[in-house]
Amino acid sequence: MTTTQQDKPAAARQDAPAAPEPITPLNDNRAEMAIQTADQVLEITSDQRFWTKAQRSALASIGLKDAPTHEQVAFFHICKSTGLDPFRREIYYIARKRKVYNKPDELFYTAQTGIDGFRHIGQRTKRFIRRQGPFWTGPEDDPKWWTEGEDGINRRRWVDVWLGDGPPAAAMCRIEHYSIAGDRTVSQAVALFKEFAVTKDEWTRDPYSGDGSKTGNKILSGLWPVMGTHMIGKVAEAQAWRVAFPRELTGIYEHDEMGRADAEQRELARDEGAARRRAARSEVPQPGPVVIRGTVVESTTADSGPDDYQKSSPSQDDTAEPPTLDELRGEVRAYAAALGKSVTQITRRWRESNGKNTTEATPEELSQLLDGLRDHAVAALRDHNEEAAQYLADGGMLVRQNPDHRVWGRRAADQA
């Protein structure tokens, strides 16, 4: 008996439709199919179990494009439980790196929101009564920030408006609420300015070379120099909300609480970039010594004028005698002519740091100034006088070849 194509079971026929893909939270788009208006595209519904395809596309714009699935699940749970909408920028999920000994850098995520997000979550609990503060106080060793109570005990003085010239030492906030047991209570938190203020290294610029170097001091960064009072107040309030409602706010931080963590990430990124640049430079083959071959040319004229300065290197007579004070001052003028600037222009930073001008400087101070300017003068001379540039780079002094500083300028070279 011959079995026809129609007699075969549906699973065995070649034209049978493929079995439908099982529905999982990753491919479930039934919520999207039920959308009636454009406003509902990114709405997180009460019966939703995971991000829809449209929502996952929008998450890419807030930094979660490469987030692993388990982190997307955790962020979805946080958004559902807090009622904050990430697509309205009410809550964020920030990725950071941290160092692990003998292992690659570890990636971790932190849920962050603004202070309005804390207020929203706290009021949704229906146990919130009122907020008191924030309040601010001054330094520990300043007696005006202490007051003696009726019981004779010194207590810290707090103000609700900070009018001091510098930043406050700390901020405090209280949240009055009902506990889970129904008791009326007050939760309080204090944030120290020195623990949360974001700082950066202070740099100074060398007046000779223009290179920067760290001073070893720390200065305020970001908005902290101009809005430090407001920033530390938000930190204290966020901590008070978390103390009052730990069940709802555990693992969620205010942006300013994580300011130092963000600064560490920037430092880590700079260190990694510097390491990559050092590795790239080490891989580039270094050139060997350059040998310039030439011939000695003797003058055929009887007279040798002062312009006959072209030499491949300074002679022993040029470097044997230490330069006099007048020669050093003339060398500064020669450098200025080579750079196409005045002496005042090229010595501005040096004078600001030293408090002197070239007529008052000692030979040692002028030598230091010339050391800082030599590379710049050599680079300028290479454009119009290669021999003089090489002579200067080899340690020679221009004034010993021609005391008239004007001949080292570009205009003199063009006229010659």
Side-chain angles (χ1 to χ4, degrees), residues 112-115 118 234 238 242 252-258:
Q112 290 182 205
T113 182
I115 196 62
F118 279 81
K234 290 196 297 180
R242 195 180 300 110
I252 302 176
Y253 298 90
E254 210 275 335
H255 297 310
D256 297 321
E257 290 184 276
M258 303 301 294

Side-chain angles (χ1 to χ4, degrees), residues 332 342-352 356-358 369 373:
V332 174
S342 65
V343 174
T344 303
Q345 290 175 323
I346 68 171
T347 61
R348 179 178 61 83
R349 289 181 179 174
W350 179 83
R351 287 184 286 104
E352 290 175 354
K356 298 180 179 180
N357 54 39
T358 55
L369 171 63
L373 295 173

Side-chain angles (χ1 to χ4, degrees), residues 364-410:
E364 292 77 11
E365 292 171 338
L366 288 176
S367 297
Q368 293 178 357
L369 171 63
L370 292 170
D371 289 341
L373 295 173
R374 180 172 288 109
D375 291 341
H376 301 285
V378 170
L381 284 170
R382 291 196 188 279
D383 293 338
H384 59 275
N385 197 327
E386 181 64 31
E387 292 81 1
Q390 186 62 43
Y391 172 80
L392 183 60
D394 291 336
M397 293 188 66
L398 298 178
V399 293
R400 290 187 173 180
Q401 295 300 306
N402 193 329
D404 185 3
H405 65 276
R406 294 171 295 182
V407 303
W408 307 109
R410 179 183 292 274

Side-chain angles (χ1 to χ4, degrees), residues 38 66 69 86 146 151-152 172 194 203 210 230 246 295 299 317 363 370:
D66 300 324
T69 303
W146 292 91
D151 53 3
M172 182 262 290
K194 64 181 180 181
W203 288 73
H230 176 67
T295 58
S299 175
D317 295 336
L370 292 170

Side-chain angles (χ1 to χ4, degrees), residues 239-376:
Q239 293 186 347
W241 282 111
R242 195 180 300 110
V243 173
F245 305 106
R247 174 67 176 80
E248 292 79 5
L249 290 169
T250 181
I252 302 176
Y253 298 90
E254 210 275 335
H255 297 310
D256 297 321
E257 290 184 276
M258 303 301 294
R260 287 205 169 180
D262 293 332
E264 291 177 0
Q265 294 297 303
R266 291 191 291 269
E267 289 288 342
L268 181 61
R270 281 195 289 267
D271 292 342
E272 291 177 349
R276 288 194 298 268
R277 289 191 292 272
R278 286 194 297 269
R281 287 195 295 267
S282 64
E283 294 175 358
V284 176
Q286 299 298 324
V290 179
V291 178
I292 302 177
R293 300 183 181 276
T295 58
V296 177
V297 180
E298 297 182 356
S299 175
T300 57
T301 60
D303 297 330
S304 178
D307 293 338
D308 297 332
Y309 56 82
Q310 288 84 358
K311 296 183 180 180
S312 61
S313 61
S315 65
Q316 185 177 0
D317 295 336
D318 292 336
T319 58
E321 292 292 333
T324 64
L325 184 59
D326 290 337
E327 286 180 329
L328 292 172
R329 291 172 180 170
E331 191 76 355
V332 174
R333 292 191 291 271
Y335 281 17
L339 292 168
K341 297 181 179 180
S342 65
V343 174
T344 303
Q345 290 175 323
I346 68 171
T347 61
R348 179 178 61 83
R349 289 181 179 174
W350 179 83
R351 287 184 286 104
E352 290 175 354
S353 63
N354 205 27
K356 298 180 179 180
N357 54 39
T358 55
T359 60
E360 301 171 342
T362 63
E364 292 77 11
E365 292 171 338
L366 288 176
S367 297
Q368 293 178 357
L369 171 63
L370 292 170
D371 289 341
L373 295 173
R374 180 172 288 109
D375 291 341
H376 301 285

Side-chain angles (χ1 to χ4, degrees), residues 91-231:
I91 190 170
Y92 295 85
Y93 211 43
I94 308 299
R96 294 184 177 88
K97 291 181 180 179
R98 56 189 168 199
K99 293 288 186 180
V100 182
Y101 180 70
N102 276 346
K103 293 182 180 179
D105 293 344
E106 184 180 48
L107 191 66
F108 68 100
Y109 288 79
T110 305
Q112 290 182 205
T113 182
I115 196 62
D116 291 335
F118 279 81
R119 295 167 182 168
H120 172 75
I121 296 172
Q123 293 174 6
R124 283 186 62 210
T125 63
K126 299 182 180 180
R127 293 188 285 117
F128 168 71
I129 299 176
R130 63 172 178 164
R131 171 174 57 89
Q132 301 175 14
F135 306 99
W136 295 271
T137 188
E140 181 78 13
D141 55 356
D142 192 341
K144 74 177 183 180
W145 294 106
W146 292 91
T147 181
E148 184 177 352
E150 296 179 356
D151 53 3
I153 299 176
N154 286 335
R155 290 180 173 83
R156 178 159 288 281
R157 176 171 166 259
W158 298 88
V159 296
D160 56 356
V161 177
W162 181 261
L163 299 177
D165 295 332
M172 182 262 290
C173 187
R174 298 188 182 101
I175 301 295
E176 188 175 352
H177 61 99
Y178 292 103
S179 66
I180 297 178
D183 301 326
R184 188 164 182 160
T185 183
V186 176
S187 296
Q188 174 179 301
V190 176
L192 300 182
F193 189 89
K194 64 181 180 181
E195 292 182 352
F196 289 93
V198 180
T199 59
K200 63 180 180 180
D201 292 317
E202 183 182 39
W203 288 73
T204 184
R205 189 168 294 277
D206 186 87
Y208 304 108
S209 64
D211 297 332
S213 60
K214 294 182 181 180
T215 63
N217 300 325
K218 294 285 187 179
I219 58 175
L220 295 176
S221 176
L223 294 176
W224 286 90
V226 294
M227 298 180 62
T229 303
H230 176 67
M231 309 282 270

